[in-house]
Amino acid sequence: MGANLPSYRTAPRDGYIPVGGAALYYRETGRGHPVVVLHGGPEFDHTYLLPDLDLLADSYRLIYYDQRGRGRSAEGVRPEDVTVRSEVEDIEHLREHFGLESVAVLGHSWGGLLALEYATHHPERVSHLILLNTAPVSHGDYLFLRQELPEKRTPDDLERLKAFRSTAGYEEGDPDTFAAYCRIHFKPTIRQPEHLESVVERLRASFTKEGVLRARAIEGRLAEQTWLVEDYDLLPALRRLNIPTLVLHGDYDFIPVECAEHVARAIPGARFALLEDCGHFSFIERPEQVRAEIAALFRGS
């Protein structure tokens, strides 16, 4: 396998890391500076990031994992076992498992918020921060997102989403129903139809009824500990960070650009880059620009 492929395209290494009554599934590939990759959702797992982010593996050692209770890290995990604190400490367990003094942390969407939670708790362990299409990091910005989002959907799509949420298939976690819901949910944030279908296909591949219901409950718990708390606001803590940071956002993202700009302005020296004609999945929609911006971050640090 791979005799004619670049050296980084060797078979990924994977396994499990025990973490307090659970086991985190990880997937490692590439060589170079270690980068821990945090997926979004928070109800998804890492597989939707592939294969696009693997293009970074010729320059970086990528360590993906499924967050506790999601994907292949779900066995034996109850939704009530998952907290923001456990999410942060799981990243620390991952770093310790690989014996790394520090790591770069790349977070997509919800993973951006989680990356910043980790950085504020363990700043000495973070060499670089890479935030792709980050989720809001304050209650105020979350409310702004919720206010703006309906304006980005058609009336028909708003009705269809509402109708889906009241169906038995959605309530029972039927994978096909949830995939159809995701197609409408992400429609206003992905310009190219083929990119939308690619995202939905990747998500659907890992859906199971039990997994959808568990992950949905975990998402609700994490929202209750972050966005839905009136005084939740990471921005003041970000002003104390001294970490080379890249904040990438798409001008077509359904998360308002202002949310990402607030993060970039809060972190001293952070670079903000707005990708044109790009939505919420910049690593799929603008892979070469994402790669170039990340390379520039490491060159400049």
Side-chain angles (χ1 to χ4, degrees):
M1 168 185 173
N4 298 317
L5 294 176
S7 60
Y8 71 90
R9 294 291 185 101
T10 56
R13 304 162 292 282
D14 65 353
Y16 289 87
I17 302 170
V19 287
L24 297 182
Y25 172 80
Y26 70 85
R27 176 185 179 276
E28 181 188 13
T29 188
R31 60 189 63 184
H33 194 105
V35 179
V36 172
V37 181
L38 308 180
H39 63 75
E43 72 268 44
F44 303 136
D45 61 35
H46 85 280
T47 55
Y48 77 91
L49 300 167
L50 305 177
D52 304 271
L53 276 184
D54 268 2
L55 294 177
L56 298 172
D58 58 348
S59 301
Y60 312 101
R61 177 185 176 189
L62 303 176
I63 304 172
Y64 303 87
Y65 76 102
D66 289 344
Q67 292 156 30
R68 185 184 296 229
R70 281 140 289 177
R72 299 186 204 180
S73 300
E75 186 173 353
V77 177
R78 303 169 302 172
E80 55 266 32
D81 297 331
V82 182
T83 64
V84 173
R85 180 179 179 83
S86 72
E87 296 278 85
V88 168
E89 292 312 305
D90 282 350
I91 302 172
E92 184 65 356
H93 286 307
L94 192 78
R95 181 194 64 78
E96 292 174 346
H97 172 83
F98 286 101
L100 301 169
E101 185 68 23
S102 66
V103 294
V105 183
L106 183 158
H108 174 249
S109 193
W110 155 262
L113 181 152
L114 181 54
L116 293 171
E117 282 280 0
Y118 178 71
T120 58
H121 285 85
H122 300 280
E124 75 286 356
R125 301 303 187 187
V126 182
S127 65
H128 304 75
L129 278 168
I130 304 161
L131 309 175
L132 304 183
N133 312 94
T134 186
V137 302
S138 71
H139 175 70
D141 275 352
Y142 173 75
L143 293 182
F144 181 51
L145 163 64
R146 301 305 302 177
Q147 175 186 330
E148 293 289 307
L149 190 53
E151 301 299 319
K152 299 179 180 181
R153 303 193 193 281
T154 66
D156 182 58
D157 284 343
L158 287 171
E159 286 299 318
R160 292 172 68 197
L161 288 173
K162 182 179 179 182
F164 261 114
R165 287 191 291 266
S166 64
T167 64
Y170 183 88
E171 293 178 358
E172 295 169 1
D174 174 69
D176 290 330
T177 302
F178 189 46
Y181 178 89
C182 288
R183 180 176 286 104
I184 302 171
H185 176 69
F186 289 122
K187 179 181 173 183
T189 196
I190 303 178
R191 279 201 180 277
Q192 301 299 324
E194 63 269 23
H195 291 153
L196 175 60
E197 290 308 310
S198 176
V199 168
V200 174
E201 287 175 10
R202 297 178 196 192
L203 295 174
R204 173 62 185 88
S206 62
F207 288 165
T208 65
K209 180 176 179 179
E210 181 182 7
V212 167
L213 293 177
R214 181 191 296 108
R216 186 181 296 163
I218 289 172
E219 179 186 34
R221 281 182 53 80
L222 293 173
E224 289 171 357
Q225 296 170 41
T226 53
W227 298 311
L228 302 183
V229 179
E230 287 189 8
D231 62 352
Y232 181 75
D233 188 355
L234 276 183
L235 295 173
L238 301 186
R239 298 187 181 101
R240 299 190 290 271
L241 294 180
N242 182 27
I243 300 170
T245 299
L246 171 66
V247 182
L248 279 176
H249 214 71
D251 62 358
Y252 197 65
D253 202 320
F254 63 0
I255 297 176
V257 172
E258 292 88 342
C259 297
E261 289 176 332
H262 293 164
V263 171
R265 285 201 296 266
I267 301 174
R271 170 170 167 72
F272 176 75
L274 184 64
L275 304 180
E276 294 184 1
D277 202 33
C278 177
H280 189 61
F281 295 86
S282 55
F283 58 94
I284 295 174
E285 300 171 83
R286 292 289 179 267
E288 292 306 320
Q289 288 177 269
V290 169
R291 180 173 175 154
E293 291 286 354
I294 292 173
L297 174 71
F298 279 88
R299 284 197 306 269
S301 60

